[in-house]
Amino acid sequence: MKILVLNCGSSSLKYQLIDMENEEVLAKGICERIGQELSVLTHKPDGKDKFVREPPMPDHQVAVELVLEALIDADHGVIEHADEIGAVGHRVLHGGQVYSKSIIVDEDVKKVIKDCFPLGPLHNPANLIGIEACEKALPGKPQVAVFDTAFHQTMPPKAYMYAVPYDWYEKYGIRRYGFHGTSHAFVSKRAIEFAGLDPENSKVIVCHLGNGSSISAVLNGKCIDTSMGLTPLEGLPMGTRSGDIDPAIVQFVANKENKTVDEMLNILNKESGMLAVSGKSSDFRDLNDGMDAGDERCTLALEMFSYKTAKYIGSYIAAMNGVDAIVFTAGVGENDDVVRKLTMEYFGYMGIKIDLEENKKRGEERYISTPDSKVKVMVIPTNDELRIARETLELI
Ligand code: ADP
């Protein structure tokens, strides 16, 4: 069966068509600037040249239709008819407290996705539009919602509650939810297999470090804590997000600079993090180049990021009363040997040792700890689309 995986953002739509016989990606691509001028569709069929078009894309419905056209196109397509697509798996940001697993979409599921609009104001509306667009374009084909929050629903109340008035939780669902769930689930499961751990007796810490970053503590295969909260703003400092700060800063600067709370949150989401500290870039490749050239603020940004990553890892070792494996994944986790080295240097006292040659390699699944290290440290590339496709196939 061929499964189409869709990841709809507010103005973008990423897709992959995966043949589940062999889990091969037949085609992948992205629609950008949906609803804006100069929309672009970039389509990459396996074994053929990339194909770029710039048709008008007033909304996600049109974008979905263009994706289907590209998939069946005589020259650039990979299937003959849209009917060959057996099902669609949708990445959905927020499932609130309702869904701890993926689910086949029906009217009730759509209602929950809608009820969670206030919790995921940029993504959930786009996710729902993507689902409805597929219902129209591929009538009768099952649609599956795979929630970014679902894997973290096993957190106990002591991990997910905030120490704020209790009725905020009761009235508005103010609690920690966590994100990147598909990646944390995929990578922790793979780490258990790779290291030959007992799934029922394992302690794994997953560091999903990318443009957005989060860390999770996975005890016996279940998430018991994670660094992102009500929204993806909490936790580590990220490309452009501040991560944890004293909330009083919001009031202080808003008063000084006559800004609204919305404006402040926009700054904390889009103009903070590595970008703000370095004054140069949110991209870790640029920070590394800056550090090599002796730039103090790029160096500070990388040091802050690694220090905070180490502090989260340390707190999760305490939360699980030990750790068997620490895993790095996503754009930074898989590629940035400097961040991994700076982070793991904090754990020498625990007998964790990094093999600097293995650490320098990129991308591939491997140990980066030495054989005599007390804890296994590894790199496992994440694959959200494959996980979504597998869950979709399992459900239907
Ligand atoms: P997201 O999915 O959150 O957008 P990714 O997981 O794709 O992010 O990670 C993107 C980030 O990975 C980039 O911003 C870049 O900083 C980092 N990155 C990619 N390649 C490298 C590399 N070779 N060295 C260091 N950082 C890298």
Side-chain angles (χ1 to χ4, degrees), residues 7 14 91 180 208-213 239 241 274 281-288 302 329-339 362 382 384:
N7 180 358
K14 287 190 208 152
R91 180 174 181 183
H180 296 138
H208 175 110
L209 311 179
N211 191 30
S213 296
R241 295 189 191 120
M274 300 296 100
S281 172
S282 61
D283 191 308
F284 281 69
R285 286 165 287 207
D286 299 332
L287 303 180
N288 275 291
L302 286 171
T329 193
V332 176
E334 290 166 31
N335 296 302
D336 195 324
D337 58 302
V338 174
V339 163
R362 284 239 184 99
T382 192
D384 272 350

PDB file of all heavy atoms in Angstrom, residues 7 14 91 180 208-213 239 241 274 281-288 302 329-339 362 382 384, ligand 1:
ATOM      1  N   ASN A   7       2.175  17.146   6.197  1.00  0.00           N
ATOM      2  CA  ASN A   7       2.510  17.965   7.356  1.00  0.00           C
ATOM      3  C   ASN A   7       2.195  19.408   6.973  1.00  0.00           C
ATOM      4  O   ASN A   7       2.972  20.053   6.274  1.00  0.00           O
ATOM      5  CB  ASN A   7       4.002  17.776   7.672  1.00  0.00           C
ATOM      6  CG  ASN A   7       4.452  18.583   8.875  1.00  0.00           C
ATOM      7  OD1 ASN A   7       3.665  19.320   9.474  1.00  0.00           O
ATOM      8  ND2 ASN A   7       5.715  18.462   9.218  1.00  0.00           N
ATOM      9  N   LYS A  14       4.187  20.040   3.640  1.00  0.00           N
ATOM     10  CA  LYS A  14       5.244  19.094   3.262  1.00  0.00           C
ATOM     11  C   LYS A  14       4.597  17.739   3.039  1.00  0.00           C
ATOM     12  O   LYS A  14       3.659  17.386   3.761  1.00  0.00           O
ATOM     13  CB  LYS A  14       6.270  18.960   4.401  1.00  0.00           C
ATOM     14  CG  LYS A  14       7.171  20.157   4.553  1.00  0.00           C
ATOM     15  CD  LYS A  14       8.299  19.818   5.534  1.00  0.00           C
ATOM     16  CE  LYS A  14       8.781  21.060   6.230  1.00  0.00           C
ATOM     17  NZ  LYS A  14       9.331  20.872   7.536  1.00  0.00           N
ATOM     18  N   ARG A  91       0.251  14.789  10.076  1.00  0.00           N
ATOM     19  CA  ARG A  91       0.862  15.231  11.322  1.00  0.00           C
ATOM     20  C   ARG A  91      -0.026  16.347  11.879  1.00  0.00           C
ATOM     21  O   ARG A  91      -0.292  17.340  11.203  1.00  0.00           O
ATOM     22  CB  ARG A  91       2.258  15.766  11.031  1.00  0.00           C
ATOM     23  CG  ARG A  91       2.939  16.243  12.279  1.00  0.00           C
ATOM     24  CD  ARG A  91       4.358  16.638  11.992  1.00  0.00           C
ATOM     25  NE  ARG A  91       4.981  17.063  13.225  1.00  0.00           N
ATOM     26  CZ  ARG A  91       6.221  17.526  13.288  1.00  0.00           C
ATOM     27  NH1 ARG A  91       6.948  17.604  12.199  1.00  0.00           N
ATOM     28  NH2 ARG A  91       6.728  17.893  14.428  1.00  0.00           N
ATOM     29  N   HIS A 180       7.006  17.299  19.337  1.00  0.00           N
ATOM     30  CA  HIS A 180       7.948  16.390  18.653  1.00  0.00           C
ATOM     31  C   HIS A 180       7.683  14.939  19.057  1.00  0.00           C
ATOM     32  O   HIS A 180       8.599  14.108  19.043  1.00  0.00           O
ATOM     33  CB  HIS A 180       9.423  16.696  19.010  1.00  0.00           C
ATOM     34  CG  HIS A 180       9.916  18.036  18.571  1.00  0.00           C
ATOM     35  ND1 HIS A 180      10.706  18.828  19.381  1.00  0.00           N
ATOM     36  CD2 HIS A 180       9.761  18.711  17.414  1.00  0.00           C
ATOM     37  CE1 HIS A 180      11.008  19.943  18.746  1.00  0.00           C
ATOM     38  NE2 HIS A 180      10.440  19.904  17.552  1.00  0.00           N
ATOM     39  N   HIS A 208      16.062  15.714  20.974  1.00  0.00           N
ATOM     40  CA  HIS A 208      15.662  16.109  19.618  1.00  0.00           C
ATOM     41  C   HIS A 208      16.091  17.565  19.453  1.00  0.00           C
ATOM     42  O   HIS A 208      15.428  18.483  19.945  1.00  0.00           O
ATOM     43  CB  HIS A 208      14.144  15.951  19.448  1.00  0.00           C
ATOM     44  CG  HIS A 208      13.637  16.438  18.120  1.00  0.00           C
ATOM     45  ND1 HIS A 208      13.169  15.602  17.145  1.00  0.00           N
ATOM     46  CD2 HIS A 208      13.542  17.684  17.600  1.00  0.00           C
ATOM     47  CE1 HIS A 208      12.815  16.301  16.087  1.00  0.00           C
ATOM     48  NE2 HIS A 208      13.027  17.588  16.346  1.00  0.00           N
ATOM     49  N   LEU A 209      17.248  17.762  18.815  1.00  0.00           N
ATOM     50  CA  LEU A 209      17.813  19.109  18.711  1.00  0.00           C
ATOM     51  C   LEU A 209      17.783  19.542  17.248  1.00  0.00           C
ATOM     52  O   LEU A 209      18.486  18.962  16.412  1.00  0.00           O
ATOM     53  CB  LEU A 209      19.257  19.118  19.237  1.00  0.00           C
ATOM     54  CG  LEU A 209      19.488  18.460  20.617  1.00  0.00           C
ATOM     55  CD1 LEU A 209      20.962  18.526  20.997  1.00  0.00           C
ATOM     56  CD2 LEU A 209      18.623  19.113  21.694  1.00  0.00           C
ATOM     57  N   GLY A 210      16.933  20.512  16.955  1.00  0.00           N
ATOM     58  CA  GLY A 210      16.838  21.008  15.578  1.00  0.00           C
ATOM     59  C   GLY A 210      16.661  22.506  15.641  1.00  0.00           C
ATOM     60  O   GLY A 210      17.180  23.165  16.544  1.00  0.00           O
ATOM     61  N   ASN A 211      15.903  23.035  14.699  1.00  0.00           N
ATOM     62  CA  ASN A 211      15.577  24.449  14.791  1.00  0.00           C
ATOM     63  C   ASN A 211      14.672  24.647  16.009  1.00  0.00           C
ATOM     64  O   ASN A 211      14.822  25.580  16.779  1.00  0.00           O
ATOM     65  CB  ASN A 211      14.901  24.864  13.483  1.00  0.00           C
ATOM     66  CG  ASN A 211      14.778  26.345  13.392  1.00  0.00           C
ATOM     67  OD1 ASN A 211      15.609  27.075  13.930  1.00  0.00           O
ATOM     68  ND2 ASN A 211      13.737  26.798  12.750  1.00  0.00           N
ATOM     69  N   GLY A 212      13.729  23.720  16.179  1.00  0.00           N
ATOM     70  CA  GLY A 212      12.998  23.591  17.442  1.00  0.00           C
ATOM     71  C   GLY A 212      13.612  22.411  18.181  1.00  0.00           C
ATOM     72  O   GLY A 212      13.954  21.413  17.546  1.00  0.00           O
ATOM     73  N   SER A 213      13.760  22.522  19.494  1.00  0.00           N
ATOM     74  CA  SER A 213      14.439  21.442  20.229  1.00  0.00           C
ATOM     75  C   SER A 213      13.640  21.026  21.456  1.00  0.00           C
ATOM     76  O   SER A 213      13.049  21.879  22.137  1.00  0.00           O
ATOM     77  CB  SER A 213      15.815  21.924  20.719  1.00  0.00           C
ATOM     78  OG  SER A 213      16.649  22.212  19.635  1.00  0.00           O
ATOM     79  N   GLY A 239      16.441  27.821  17.861  1.00  0.00           N
ATOM     80  CA  GLY A 239      16.899  28.701  16.790  1.00  0.00           C
ATOM     81  C   GLY A 239      16.468  30.141  17.039  1.00  0.00           C
ATOM     82  O   GLY A 239      17.293  31.041  17.155  1.00  0.00           O
ATOM     83  N   ARG A 241      13.575  30.666  19.386  1.00  0.00           N
ATOM     84  CA  ARG A 241      12.744  30.700  20.594  1.00  0.00           C
ATOM     85  C   ARG A 241      13.625  30.820  21.829  1.00  0.00           C
ATOM     86  O   ARG A 241      14.695  30.210  21.903  1.00  0.00           O
ATOM     87  CB  ARG A 241      11.897  29.437  20.715  1.00  0.00           C
ATOM     88  CG  ARG A 241      10.863  29.270  19.637  1.00  0.00           C
ATOM     89  CD  ARG A 241       9.937  28.095  19.971  1.00  0.00           C
ATOM     90  NE  ARG A 241       9.102  27.746  18.837  1.00  0.00           N
ATOM     91  CZ  ARG A 241       9.114  26.552  18.246  1.00  0.00           C
ATOM     92  NH1 ARG A 241       9.893  25.577  18.690  1.00  0.00           N
ATOM     93  NH2 ARG A 241       8.337  26.323  17.211  1.00  0.00           N
ATOM     94  N   MET A 274      19.022  31.363  19.677  1.00  0.00           N
ATOM     95  CA  MET A 274      20.377  31.448  19.109  1.00  0.00           C
ATOM     96  C   MET A 274      20.549  32.702  18.258  1.00  0.00           C
ATOM     97  O   MET A 274      21.604  33.330  18.246  1.00  0.00           O
ATOM     98  CB  MET A 274      20.661  30.211  18.243  1.00  0.00           C
ATOM     99  CG  MET A 274      20.598  28.885  18.972  1.00  0.00           C
ATOM    100  SD  MET A 274      21.849  28.726  20.251  1.00  0.00           S
ATOM    101  CE  MET A 274      20.937  29.090  21.716  1.00  0.00           C
ATOM    102  N   SER A 281      22.686  34.548  13.532  1.00  0.00           N
ATOM    103  CA  SER A 281      21.927  33.530  12.811  1.00  0.00           C
ATOM    104  C   SER A 281      21.282  32.547  13.791  1.00  0.00           C
ATOM    105  O   SER A 281      21.772  32.365  14.908  1.00  0.00           O
ATOM    106  CB  SER A 281      22.889  32.765  11.891  1.00  0.00           C
ATOM    107  OG  SER A 281      22.249  31.663  11.307  1.00  0.00           O
ATOM    108  N   SER A 282      20.205  31.924  13.309  1.00  0.00           N
ATOM    109  CA  SER A 282      19.585  30.865  14.109  1.00  0.00           C
ATOM    110  C   SER A 282      20.116  29.507  13.676  1.00  0.00           C
ATOM    111  O   SER A 282      19.773  28.489  14.259  1.00  0.00           O
ATOM    112  CB  SER A 282      18.062  30.902  13.906  1.00  0.00           C
ATOM    113  OG  SER A 282      17.764  30.686  12.542  1.00  0.00           O
ATOM    114  N   ASP A 283      20.915  29.497  12.625  1.00  0.00           N
ATOM    115  CA  ASP A 283      21.393  28.236  12.060  1.00  0.00           C
ATOM    116  C   ASP A 283      22.705  27.817  12.733  1.00  0.00           C
ATOM    117  O   ASP A 283      23.669  28.580  12.738  1.00  0.00           O
ATOM    118  CB  ASP A 283      21.585  28.407  10.547  1.00  0.00           C
ATOM    119  CG  ASP A 283      21.809  27.076   9.859  1.00  0.00           C
ATOM    120  OD1 ASP A 283      22.700  26.314  10.288  1.00  0.00           O
ATOM    121  OD2 ASP A 283      21.087  26.799   8.892  1.00  0.00           O
ATOM    122  N   PHE A 284      22.716  26.597  13.258  1.00  0.00           N
ATOM    123  CA  PHE A 284      23.888  26.145  14.026  1.00  0.00           C
ATOM    124  C   PHE A 284      25.153  26.053  13.164  1.00  0.00           C
ATOM    125  O   PHE A 284      26.257  26.138  13.682  1.00  0.00           O
ATOM    126  CB  PHE A 284      23.592  24.800  14.709  1.00  0.00           C
ATOM    127  CG  PHE A 284      22.762  24.958  15.957  1.00  0.00           C
ATOM    128  CD1 PHE A 284      21.439  25.356  15.876  1.00  0.00           C
ATOM    129  CD2 PHE A 284      23.308  24.738  17.211  1.00  0.00           C
ATOM    130  CE1 PHE A 284      20.667  25.528  17.017  1.00  0.00           C
ATOM    131  CE2 PHE A 284      22.550  24.905  18.366  1.00  0.00           C
ATOM    132  CZ  PHE A 284      21.225  25.300  18.270  1.00  0.00           C
ATOM    133  N   ARG A 285      24.975  25.884  11.844  1.00  0.00           N
ATOM    134  CA  ARG A 285      26.170  25.868  10.981  1.00  0.00           C
ATOM    135  C   ARG A 285      26.861  27.225  11.032  1.00  0.00           C
ATOM    136  O   ARG A 285      28.086  27.317  11.118  1.00  0.00           O
ATOM    137  CB  ARG A 285      25.787  25.526   9.536  1.00  0.00           C
ATOM    138  CG  ARG A 285      25.454  24.066   9.372  1.00  0.00           C
ATOM    139  CD  ARG A 285      24.742  23.804   8.087  1.00  0.00           C
ATOM    140  NE  ARG A 285      23.359  24.313   8.161  1.00  0.00           N
ATOM    141  CZ  ARG A 285      22.352  23.833   7.465  1.00  0.00           C
ATOM    142  NH1 ARG A 285      22.534  22.865   6.617  1.00  0.00           N
ATOM    143  NH2 ARG A 285      21.135  24.328   7.602  1.00  0.00           N
ATOM    144  N   ASP A 286      26.060  28.306  11.015  1.00  0.00           N
ATOM    145  CA  ASP A 286      26.641  29.660  11.080  1.00  0.00           C
ATOM    146  C   ASP A 286      27.263  29.899  12.455  1.00  0.00           C
ATOM    147  O   ASP A 286      28.284  30.562  12.571  1.00  0.00           O
ATOM    148  CB  ASP A 286      25.563  30.724  10.825  1.00  0.00           C
ATOM    149  CG  ASP A 286      24.952  30.578   9.446  1.00  0.00           C
ATOM    150  OD1 ASP A 286      25.658  30.077   8.547  1.00  0.00           O
ATOM    151  OD2 ASP A 286      23.770  30.948   9.277  1.00  0.00           O
ATOM    152  N   LEU A 287      26.631  29.361  13.506  1.00  0.00           N
ATOM    153  CA  LEU A 287      27.191  29.555  14.856  1.00  0.00           C
ATOM    154  C   LEU A 287      28.547  28.863  14.965  1.00  0.00           C
ATOM    155  O   LEU A 287      29.492  29.402  15.548  1.00  0.00           O
ATOM    156  CB  LEU A 287      26.247  28.992  15.925  1.00  0.00           C
ATOM    157  CG  LEU A 287      24.817  29.549  15.955  1.00  0.00           C
ATOM    158  CD1 LEU A 287      24.014  28.883  17.063  1.00  0.00           C
ATOM    159  CD2 LEU A 287      24.817  31.060  16.148  1.00  0.00           C
ATOM    160  N   ASN A 288      28.645  27.677  14.386  1.00  0.00           N
ATOM    161  CA  ASN A 288      29.931  26.955  14.409  1.00  0.00           C
ATOM    162  C   ASN A 288      30.998  27.716  13.624  1.00  0.00           C
ATOM    163  O   ASN A 288      32.134  27.833  14.085  1.00  0.00           O
ATOM    164  CB  ASN A 288      29.761  25.543  13.828  1.00  0.00           C
ATOM    165  CG  ASN A 288      29.282  24.564  14.879  1.00  0.00           C
ATOM    166  OD1 ASN A 288      30.020  24.226  15.797  1.00  0.00           O
ATOM    167  ND2 ASN A 288      28.044  24.130  14.778  1.00  0.00           N
ATOM    168  N   LEU A 302      26.423  28.808  21.489  1.00  0.00           N
ATOM    169  CA  LEU A 302      26.644  27.354  21.505  1.00  0.00           C
ATOM    170  C   LEU A 302      26.877  26.845  22.925  1.00  0.00           C
ATOM    171  O   LEU A 302      26.407  25.763  23.297  1.00  0.00           O
ATOM    172  CB  LEU A 302      27.844  26.993  20.612  1.00  0.00           C
ATOM    173  CG  LEU A 302      27.565  27.080  19.113  1.00  0.00           C
ATOM    174  CD1 LEU A 302      28.848  26.930  18.311  1.00  0.00           C
ATOM    175  CD2 LEU A 302      26.553  26.009  18.693  1.00  0.00           C
ATOM    176  N   THR A 329      19.282  13.380  18.158  1.00  0.00           N
ATOM    177  CA  THR A 329      18.603  13.277  16.862  1.00  0.00           C
ATOM    178  C   THR A 329      18.216  14.659  16.352  1.00  0.00           C
ATOM    179  O   THR A 329      18.383  15.652  17.046  1.00  0.00           O
ATOM    180  CB  THR A 329      17.362  12.354  16.980  1.00  0.00           C
ATOM    181  OG1 THR A 329      16.915  12.025  15.668  1.00  0.00           O
ATOM    182  CG2 THR A 329      16.221  13.006  17.748  1.00  0.00           C
ATOM    183  N   ALA A 330      17.688  14.710  15.118  1.00  0.00           N
ATOM    184  CA  ALA A 330      17.246  15.929  14.395  1.00  0.00           C
ATOM    185  C   ALA A 330      18.456  16.719  13.871  1.00  0.00           C
ATOM    186  O   ALA A 330      19.607  16.340  14.132  1.00  0.00           O
ATOM    187  CB  ALA A 330      16.328  16.785  15.236  1.00  0.00           C
ATOM    188  N   GLY A 331      18.175  17.806  13.151  1.00  0.00           N
ATOM    189  CA  GLY A 331      19.206  18.525  12.384  1.00  0.00           C
ATOM    190  C   GLY A 331      20.479  18.810  13.158  1.00  0.00           C
ATOM    191  O   GLY A 331      21.579  18.516  12.685  1.00  0.00           O
ATOM    192  N   VAL A 332      20.354  19.353  14.363  1.00  0.00           N
ATOM    193  CA  VAL A 332      21.537  19.675  15.169  1.00  0.00           C
ATOM    194  C   VAL A 332      22.062  18.404  15.844  1.00  0.00           C
ATOM    195  O   VAL A 332      23.260  18.114  15.815  1.00  0.00           O
ATOM    196  CB  VAL A 332      21.186  20.751  16.225  1.00  0.00           C
ATOM    197  CG1 VAL A 332      22.377  21.035  17.130  1.00  0.00           C
ATOM    198  CG2 VAL A 332      20.709  22.026  15.541  1.00  0.00           C
ATOM    199  N   GLY A 333      21.171  17.630  16.440  1.00  0.00           N
ATOM    200  CA  GLY A 333      21.580  16.423  17.165  1.00  0.00           C
ATOM    201  C   GLY A 333      22.312  15.433  16.278  1.00  0.00           C
ATOM    202  O   GLY A 333      23.252  14.768  16.712  1.00  0.00           O
ATOM    203  N   GLU A 334      21.890  15.343  14.999  1.00  0.00           N
ATOM    204  CA  GLU A 334      22.528  14.371  14.098  1.00  0.00           C
ATOM    205  C   GLU A 334      23.818  14.901  13.493  1.00  0.00           C
ATOM    206  O   GLU A 334      24.685  14.118  13.112  1.00  0.00           O
ATOM    207  CB  GLU A 334      21.554  14.021  12.951  1.00  0.00           C
ATOM    208  CG  GLU A 334      20.369  13.205  13.412  1.00  0.00           C
ATOM    209  CD  GLU A 334      19.252  13.141  12.381  1.00  0.00           C
ATOM    210  OE1 GLU A 334      19.539  13.177  11.174  1.00  0.00           O
ATOM    211  OE2 GLU A 334      18.079  13.073  12.797  1.00  0.00           O
ATOM    212  N   ASN A 335      23.932  16.229  13.379  1.00  0.00           N
ATOM    213  CA  ASN A 335      25.040  16.788  12.588  1.00  0.00           C
ATOM    214  C   ASN A 335      26.065  17.616  13.352  1.00  0.00           C
ATOM    215  O   ASN A 335      27.162  17.823  12.852  1.00  0.00           O
ATOM    216  CB  ASN A 335      24.469  17.680  11.474  1.00  0.00           C
ATOM    217  CG  ASN A 335      23.645  16.879  10.488  1.00  0.00           C
ATOM    218  OD1 ASN A 335      24.149  15.939   9.891  1.00  0.00           O
ATOM    219  ND2 ASN A 335      22.387  17.232  10.351  1.00  0.00           N
ATOM    220  N   ASP A 336      25.692  18.135  14.507  1.00  0.00           N
ATOM    221  CA  ASP A 336      26.587  19.106  15.152  1.00  0.00           C
ATOM    222  C   ASP A 336      27.449  18.432  16.220  1.00  0.00           C
ATOM    223  O   ASP A 336      27.045  18.275  17.378  1.00  0.00           O
ATOM    224  CB  ASP A 336      25.748  20.239  15.764  1.00  0.00           C
ATOM    225  CG  ASP A 336      26.618  21.433  16.118  1.00  0.00           C
ATOM    226  OD1 ASP A 336      27.771  21.224  16.552  1.00  0.00           O
ATOM    227  OD2 ASP A 336      26.149  22.565  15.971  1.00  0.00           O
ATOM    228  N   ASP A 337      28.672  18.051  15.828  1.00  0.00           N
ATOM    229  CA  ASP A 337      29.550  17.332  16.765  1.00  0.00           C
ATOM    230  C   ASP A 337      30.005  18.239  17.910  1.00  0.00           C
ATOM    231  O   ASP A 337      30.300  17.758  19.011  1.00  0.00           O
ATOM    232  CB  ASP A 337      30.760  16.736  16.035  1.00  0.00           C
ATOM    233  CG  ASP A 337      31.590  17.774  15.310  1.00  0.00           C
ATOM    234  OD1 ASP A 337      31.019  18.469  14.449  1.00  0.00           O
ATOM    235  OD2 ASP A 337      32.785  17.905  15.612  1.00  0.00           O
ATOM    236  N   VAL A 338      30.038  19.548  17.664  1.00  0.00           N
ATOM    237  CA  VAL A 338      30.485  20.472  18.719  1.00  0.00           C
ATOM    238  C   VAL A 338      29.454  20.516  19.852  1.00  0.00           C
ATOM    239  O   VAL A 338      29.801  20.416  21.037  1.00  0.00           O
ATOM    240  CB  VAL A 338      30.729  21.885  18.125  1.00  0.00           C
ATOM    241  CG1 VAL A 338      31.039  22.885  19.224  1.00  0.00           C
ATOM    242  CG2 VAL A 338      31.851  21.820  17.109  1.00  0.00           C
ATOM    243  N   VAL A 339      28.187  20.636  19.497  1.00  0.00           N
ATOM    244  CA  VAL A 339      27.137  20.645  20.517  1.00  0.00           C
ATOM    245  C   VAL A 339      27.148  19.336  21.304  1.00  0.00           C
ATOM    246  O   VAL A 339      27.065  19.331  22.533  1.00  0.00           O
ATOM    247  CB  VAL A 339      25.741  20.889  19.880  1.00  0.00           C
ATOM    248  CG1 VAL A 339      24.617  20.501  20.824  1.00  0.00           C
ATOM    249  CG2 VAL A 339      25.605  22.349  19.466  1.00  0.00           C
ATOM    250  N   ARG A 362      28.822  12.120  10.580  1.00  0.00           N
ATOM    251  CA  ARG A 362      27.512  12.762  10.426  1.00  0.00           C
ATOM    252  C   ARG A 362      26.399  11.778  10.122  1.00  0.00           C
ATOM    253  O   ARG A 362      26.603  10.825   9.394  1.00  0.00           O
ATOM    254  CB  ARG A 362      27.540  13.712   9.224  1.00  0.00           C
ATOM    255  CG  ARG A 362      28.260  14.959   9.500  1.00  0.00           C
ATOM    256  CD  ARG A 362      27.335  16.152   9.305  1.00  0.00           C
ATOM    257  NE  ARG A 362      28.137  17.332   9.496  1.00  0.00           N
ATOM    258  CZ  ARG A 362      28.639  18.021   8.484  1.00  0.00           C
ATOM    259  NH1 ARG A 362      28.349  17.679   7.260  1.00  0.00           N
ATOM    260  NH2 ARG A 362      29.387  19.047   8.729  1.00  0.00           N
ATOM    261  N   THR A 382      16.238  10.797  12.984  1.00  0.00           N
ATOM    262  CA  THR A 382      14.794  10.716  13.188  1.00  0.00           C
ATOM    263  C   THR A 382      14.114  10.587  11.833  1.00  0.00           C
ATOM    264  O   THR A 382      14.694  10.908  10.805  1.00  0.00           O
ATOM    265  CB  THR A 382      14.282  11.952  13.952  1.00  0.00           C
ATOM    266  OG1 THR A 382      12.945  11.721  14.373  1.00  0.00           O
ATOM    267  CG2 THR A 382      14.345  13.224  13.117  1.00  0.00           C
ATOM    268  N   ASP A 384      10.216  11.285  11.009  1.00  0.00           N
ATOM    269  CA  ASP A 384       8.816  11.519  11.359  1.00  0.00           C
ATOM    270  C   ASP A 384       7.846  10.956  10.329  1.00  0.00           C
ATOM    271  O   ASP A 384       6.823  10.373  10.676  1.00  0.00           O
ATOM    272  CB  ASP A 384       8.554  13.027  11.465  1.00  0.00           C
ATOM    273  CG  ASP A 384       8.838  13.534  12.860  1.00  0.00           C
ATOM    274  OD1 ASP A 384       9.048  12.703  13.756  1.00  0.00           O
ATOM    275  OD2 ASP A 384       8.846  14.757  13.038  1.00  0.00           O
TER     276      ASP A 384
HETATM  277  P1  ADP B   1      13.221  21.688  12.299  1.00  0.00           P
HETATM  278  O1  ADP B   1      12.605  20.389  11.822  1.00  0.00           O
HETATM  279  O2  ADP B   1      12.961  22.019  13.713  1.00  0.00           O
HETATM  280  O3  ADP B   1      13.033  22.845  11.357  1.00  0.00           O
HETATM  281  P2  ADP B   1      15.734  20.315  11.798  1.00  0.00           P
HETATM  282  O4  ADP B   1      15.676  19.151  12.692  1.00  0.00           O
HETATM  283  O5  ADP B   1      15.609  20.097  10.321  1.00  0.00           O
HETATM  284  O6  ADP B   1      14.780  21.470  12.281  1.00  0.00           O
HETATM  285  O7  ADP B   1      17.118  21.055  12.081  1.00  0.00           O
HETATM  286  C1  ADP B   1      17.465  22.200  11.356  1.00  0.00           C
HETATM  287  C2  ADP B   1      18.723  22.761  11.955  1.00  0.00           C
HETATM  288  O8  ADP B   1      19.774  21.788  11.928  1.00  0.00           O
HETATM  289  C3  ADP B   1      19.273  23.926  11.147  1.00  0.00           C
HETATM  290  O9  ADP B   1      18.752  25.136  11.604  1.00  0.00           O
HETATM  291  C4  ADP B   1      20.748  23.852  11.429  1.00  0.00           C
HETATM  292  O10 ADP B   1      21.011  24.752  12.459  1.00  0.00           O
HETATM  293  C5  ADP B   1      21.015  22.458  11.941  1.00  0.00           C
HETATM  294  N1  ADP B   1      21.996  21.763  11.088  1.00  0.00           N
HETATM  295  C6  ADP B   1      21.792  21.149   9.911  1.00  0.00           C
HETATM  296  N2  ADP B   1      22.964  20.642   9.433  1.00  0.00           N
HETATM  297  C7  ADP B   1      23.927  20.968  10.330  1.00  0.00           C
HETATM  298  C8  ADP B   1      25.335  20.749  10.398  1.00  0.00           C
HETATM  299  N3  ADP B   1      25.993  20.095   9.444  1.00  0.00           N
HETATM  300  N4  ADP B   1      25.980  21.216  11.486  1.00  0.00           N
HETATM  301  C9  ADP B   1      25.326  21.879  12.448  1.00  0.00           C
HETATM  302  N5  ADP B   1      24.012  22.118  12.439  1.00  0.00           N
HETATM  303  C10 ADP B   1      23.307  21.675  11.390  1.00  0.00           C
END
